[in-house]
Amino acid sequence: QVQLVESGGGLVQAGGSLRLSCAASGSIFGIKRMGWYRQAPGKQRELVAAIANTDSTNYADSVKGRFTISRDNAKNTAYLQMNSLKPEDTAVYYCNAQGLEGTYSPFNCWGQGTQVTVSS
C-alpha cells in the first residue's frame, strides 16, 4: 500500500517562504502525477499545483509566480516551494499522488495534511 508523508508546514509571516515535502513509500511501480491541494476553514479543497512524470506543471492562478512545484523521481518525492506568502495562503495543505503500485494496480493516495499559517 502506498503512503504519503508530508512535512514542512508551519507559521510564517506574510512575505516569507516555506518548502513543503511529500514522500511516497511502499511498493511503487511508478508515479504518474503528484499534486498539492489546500483547504482553508469553510472552503472546499482546491488544487494548488501539480506535476506530471513528464515534468509538465500546472498552477492555480492565485499562486502563479509565487509557488514552484518540483519532484525527485528517484526519491518518489514532490516539493512545493512557497514564496511571497500571503495570509490567504493559510490552509491545510495535502499531497496527492497517482500512479501504479508494484502489482501494476492503480493508486490515488492522499497525505495526512500539513498546516500552513501565514500571519499578517
Side-chain angles (χ1 to χ4, degrees):
Q1 186 174 359
V2 177
Q3 293 184 325
L4 302 180
V5 177
E6 300 139 336
S7 61
L11 173 64
V12 65
Q13 288 188 333
S17 299
L18 284 173
R19 187 189 193 215
L20 306 183
S21 298
C22 172
S25 63
S27 178
I28 300 171
F29 175 76
I31 299 177
K32 181 178 180 181
R33 177 184 182 274
M34 297 188 79
W36 288 96
Y37 293 74
R38 67 186 180 187
Q39 187 166 19
K43 294 188 176 181
Q44 290 188 332
R45 189 174 297 189
E46 63 175 359
L47 174 68
V48 176
I51 183 167
N53 55 1
T54 57
D55 283 338
S56 66
T57 58
N58 62 292
Y59 295 89
D61 288 343
S62 60
V63 307
K64 284 181 180 177
R66 300 188 298 122
F67 291 10
T68 302
I69 189 170
S70 61
R71 63 189 284 177
D72 183 332
N73 292 326
K75 296 181 179 179
N76 288 327
T77 299
Y79 306 94
L80 185 68
Q81 178 66 43
M82 304 185 294
N83 299 327
S84 302
L85 282 161
K86 304 175 181 180
E88 50 264 43
D89 294 318
T90 295
V92 177
Y93 284 69
Y94 296 91
C95 180
N96 172 263
Q98 301 169 25
L100 295 177
E101 295 184 14
T103 58
Y104 305 116
S105 298
F107 69 85
N108 184 352
C109 190
W110 290 90
Q112 79 283 0
T114 185
Q115 177 70 46
V116 172
T117 303
V118 184
S119 63
S120 57

